[in-house]
Structure formats: structure tokens, C-alpha cells
Amino acid sequence: GQFGGPQQYDPKQLRPAHYNMNITDYHFDVLSNIFLQVSKEMGVDQPTLMDVQVVLNRSRADITTGCTVRMELSKKKNAQDGIDQLFQRLGGLDGVMAMVDRLYECLGVDKRVSHFFEGAKTNAIKRSVTDFMIQTLGGPAEYRGRSLQDSHAVIEITDYHYDCWMQNAARAMRDVGAEADAVDEVTVVLEPFRKQVLAHHYKQQ
């Protein structure tokens, strides 16, 4: 329908259908670039490709607004109520530890990233991640590990892998009973660490 063919989808459903998906402008741009690349490989000429990009961008706001609105509301709640309340809503120490346990179960079977979570040091890394998560989410732990930038410098990871980790973290929280609002509030706490985790990757670009 967007490209002049038979109408198969109600455009009014775009926003509600994507509201609970964490789709940002970054993800929209990646999908758009893939679509354009495939179209180019199919022999679509440059003027038409430009028109395609214009059409795709008409849907950007409907697809990304849900994530933007939810994350902004979560940031405001964290700022207003403090991180301590979030830690308690997650179940305190037991809740966060259960979430990390479930996170590592999810990561271990996710073929996109499971190879990063293998080997003899996995348990030690998990303990370090647990301390980091407890501290970051307002709990009584002190993270004593290396900086995120240093500890990830030798690992070949990209935004794709960080997105996979974040998806698994959200799934782990839901699996141990966290409410949807709490998942969003944790997401906005963890997202800013992307730049530190991927600092080496960004320098290589």
C-alpha cells in the first residue's frame, strides 16, 4: 500500500503495533538501509531509490514514537522517584540476582551472542556483572571490576550485539516477573552504557 499497490495494511495500526517495541531511529535506519540495498541489487534505479526512501521515512514517527515516549516517561520517573525505588520494585537483592541468572540463561542459548558467554571465566564475569547491576540499579553492592571500556576493548562487539544483550535483559526481567514499566525504567538506565561498552568499536570506525 505504501508504494501504490493494493492496500493490505491499515496505516493507523502502525503506531499501536510498534508501541511496545524498543525501535529507535538507529533501528529504523538499519532496516531502511537494508531495504534500499536489496532494492538496488534488484536493479531499481537511483531516482526511484530516493523516492523509496521518502516513502519509508513517512512511517518513521509511527514506528519509533512508542519507544521514544515510553523511554522519556521512564527517565522522568527515575529522576523523580530515584533509582532506589526501582531496585525495590525489581525485588531487591534476590530479584536482581534472579534477573541476572535468567539473563545468562537467555544469553547462553541466543546464537547471536552465546559465543561471548562461554569459557572458564564465565562464572567470574557473571558475578562481576551481578555486582554491577545491583550497584547500577540502586542496590547495596560495589562494583570493583575494570571499566566497561577496558573490559570490552578486546571483544569484537557492535551495536547489534549490544541490542541483543538489551533484548535478553528485557526478556529476563519479564521472565522473573518484573512489570512492564520497571523493564522500561531499567532499559533507560542501561542504555547510556552503550557508549562505554562499544568505545573501542566506535574508535575503529
Side-chain angles (χ1 to χ4, degrees), residues 33-115:
N33 288 337
I34 292 173
F35 192 96
L36 290 170
Q37 183 61 37
V38 170
S39 299
K40 185 176 181 180
E41 291 174 0
M42 293 174 60
V44 177
D45 60 73
Q46 189 60 35
T48 302
L49 288 175
M50 294 175 66
D51 290 339
V52 167
Q53 190 163 20
V54 170
V55 172
L56 290 175
N57 273 322
R58 290 173 183 165
S59 303
R60 180 186 294 270
D62 286 332
I63 291 174
T64 62
T65 292
C67 179
T68 301
V69 170
R70 285 173 31 243
M71 295 305 112
E72 285 302 316
L73 290 173
S74 296
K75 288 178 183 177
K76 289 180 180 179
K77 182 168 181 58
N78 285 343
Q80 176 180 323
D81 298 343
I83 297 297
D84 292 351
Q85 59 80 29
L86 178 56
F87 179 73
Q88 295 304 323
R89 287 168 57 211
L90 291 170
L93 279 173
D94 290 341
V96 175
M97 291 173 69
M99 184 266 282
V100 176
D101 285 341
R102 180 57 182 150
L103 169 61
Y104 269 74
E105 291 175 356
C106 294
L107 293 170
V109 297
D110 186 341
K111 294 182 180 180
R112 300 172 299 174
V113 293
S114 58
H115 55 286

Side-chain angles (χ1 to χ4, degrees), residues 7-205:
Q7 187 76 21
Q8 299 291 328
Y9 189 84
D10 182 0
K12 294 180 181 179
Q13 296 301 316
L14 271 179
R15 186 164 297 196
H18 293 87
Y19 186 85
N20 289 313
M21 300 182 187
N22 290 338
I23 301 178
T24 66
D25 282 310
Y26 166 77
H27 302 117
F28 188 91
D29 288 339
V30 169
L31 182 60
S32 295
N33 288 337
I34 292 173
F35 192 96
L36 290 170
Q37 183 61 37
V38 170
S39 299
K40 185 176 181 180
E41 291 174 0
M42 293 174 60
V44 177
D45 60 73
Q46 189 60 35
T48 302
L49 288 175
M50 294 175 66
D51 290 339
V52 167
Q53 190 163 20
V54 170
V55 172
L56 290 175
N57 273 322
R58 290 173 183 165
S59 303
R60 180 186 294 270
D62 286 332
I63 291 174
T64 62
T65 292
C67 179
T68 301
V69 170
R70 285 173 31 243
M71 295 305 112
E72 285 302 316
L73 290 173
S74 296
K75 288 178 183 177
K76 289 180 180 179
K77 182 168 181 58
N78 285 343
Q80 176 180 323
D81 298 343
I83 297 297
D84 292 351
Q85 59 80 29
L86 178 56
F87 179 73
Q88 295 304 323
R89 287 168 57 211
L90 291 170
L93 279 173
D94 290 341
V96 175
M97 291 173 69
M99 184 266 282
V100 176
D101 285 341
R102 180 57 182 150
L103 169 61
Y104 269 74
E105 291 175 356
C106 294
L107 293 170
V109 297
D110 186 341
K111 294 182 180 180
R112 300 172 299 174
V113 293
S114 58
H115 55 286
F116 293 122
F117 301 94
E118 300 173 342
K121 294 183 178 181
T122 300
N123 286 334
I125 294 172
K126 180 182 173 183
R127 287 194 295 271
S128 184
V129 169
T130 301
D131 286 343
F132 178 83
M133 293 290 282
I134 292 172
Q135 174 182 288
T136 300
L137 298 176
E142 184 177 352
Y143 174 68
R144 298 178 180 273
R146 292 185 295 165
S147 70
L148 294 181
Q149 183 171 336
D150 289 343
S151 60
H152 294 87
V154 297
I155 307 174
E156 296 296 326
I157 53 177
T158 66
D159 283 288
Y160 169 76
H161 302 114
Y162 196 86
D163 286 339
C164 293
W165 192 93
M166 292 289 286
Q167 289 170 5
N168 280 292
R171 175 186 174 184
M173 285 184 278
R174 292 192 297 269
D175 287 352
V176 299
E179 298 177 351
D181 288 349
V183 174
D184 285 347
E185 288 157 36
V186 172
T187 297
V188 299
V189 171
L190 298 178
E191 176 60 33
F193 292 111
R194 179 187 296 265
K195 292 181 180 180
Q196 296 178 45
V197 171
L198 300 179
H200 179 72
H201 166 66
Y202 292 147
K203 286 181 181 178
Q204 298 300 108
Q205 289 185 320

